[in-house]
Amino acid sequence: MASRDKHYMSLALRLAREAAQKGEVPVGAVLVVEGKIGGWGSNQRMTENDILGHAEIKALNTASQLLGSWRLLRSTLYVTLEPCIMCTGALLQARVDRVVFGCRDPKAGAMRSLFALGEDPRLNHRIQVDEGIMAEESSKLLRDFFEKLRAK
């Protein structure tokens, strides 16, 4: 499992790097459905003027269009940064089984940092959450991006 997780997280990191080159906060996501890549995305809030333009939402939308269903059963989302409240809600609605994220988001993280929405027993669906896969690479990418932004 660990080598598969690293493989998909490295793809998510590649998408995050591409987002950074476009001036977007470097977050990338890959959705694996039944062992195959079903969706992918990176942050596009700035380039598309899209409030919902988070990497996770883009990956869910890509997958639902390709698969012809909003229910993304038997799926795992790999994302470089812990999902926010909006994205966690979308993941719950899509019935994603598992989320693997790189680094925590202490200001907006809704899976571990501020909340544990994916594992909340009051909800009708729960998400298995695994964190820390390639966390240093994910964190460094974000840190470098914001350092460059502050230097401007």
Side-chain angles (χ1 to χ4, degrees):
M1 185 71 82
S3 65
R4 188 174 349 155
D5 288 347
K6 284 186 178 182
H7 169 72
Y8 290 121
M9 188 61 78
S10 55
L11 296 177
L13 278 162
R14 185 183 320 161
L15 290 166
R17 285 186 202 94
E18 290 173 9
Q21 291 173 349
K22 296 175 186 173
E24 295 283 356
V25 175
V27 179
V30 174
L31 187 74
V32 176
V33 183
E34 296 183 357
K36 297 178 184 170
I37 294 175
W40 57 89
S42 60
N43 274 7
Q44 296 178 18
R45 287 175 44 170
M46 302 293 286
T47 53
E48 293 186 1
N49 287 318
D50 183 1
I51 295 164
L52 305 176
H54 288 204
E56 301 94 325
I57 301 294
K58 295 296 183 180
L60 291 172
N61 283 336
T62 302
S64 65
Q65 293 303 309
L66 287 173
L67 300 171
S69 177
W70 60 269
R71 290 182 189 198
L72 302 172
L73 305 172
R74 295 175 294 287
S75 64
T76 298
L77 180 81
Y78 294 87
V79 62
T80 56
L81 180 66
E82 177 183 7
C84 69
I85 294 169
M86 174 183 71
C87 293
T88 301
L91 292 161
L92 286 161
Q93 289 296 314
R95 308 300 193 265
V96 169
D97 292 317
R98 180 176 177 237
V99 169
V100 177
F101 68 85
C103 61
R104 285 189 178 200
D105 184 348
K107 294 182 179 180
M111 294 212 138
R112 291 282 163 85
S113 296
L114 299 177
F115 307 99
L117 292 178
E119 300 163 314
D120 192 318
R122 296 170 294 178
L123 300 174
N124 68 333
H125 179 72
R126 284 173 219 37
I127 299 172
Q128 177 186 337
V129 179
D130 293 305
E131 65 175 295
I133 304 296
M134 303 183 81
E136 185 52 41
E137 295 92 327
S138 299
S139 183
K140 182 177 179 350
L141 189 58
L142 287 159
R143 202 170 38 251
D144 292 350
F145 175 81
F146 285 112
E147 282 176 11
K148 286 178 187 172
L149 195 63
R150 281 190 289 276
K152 285 186 179 180

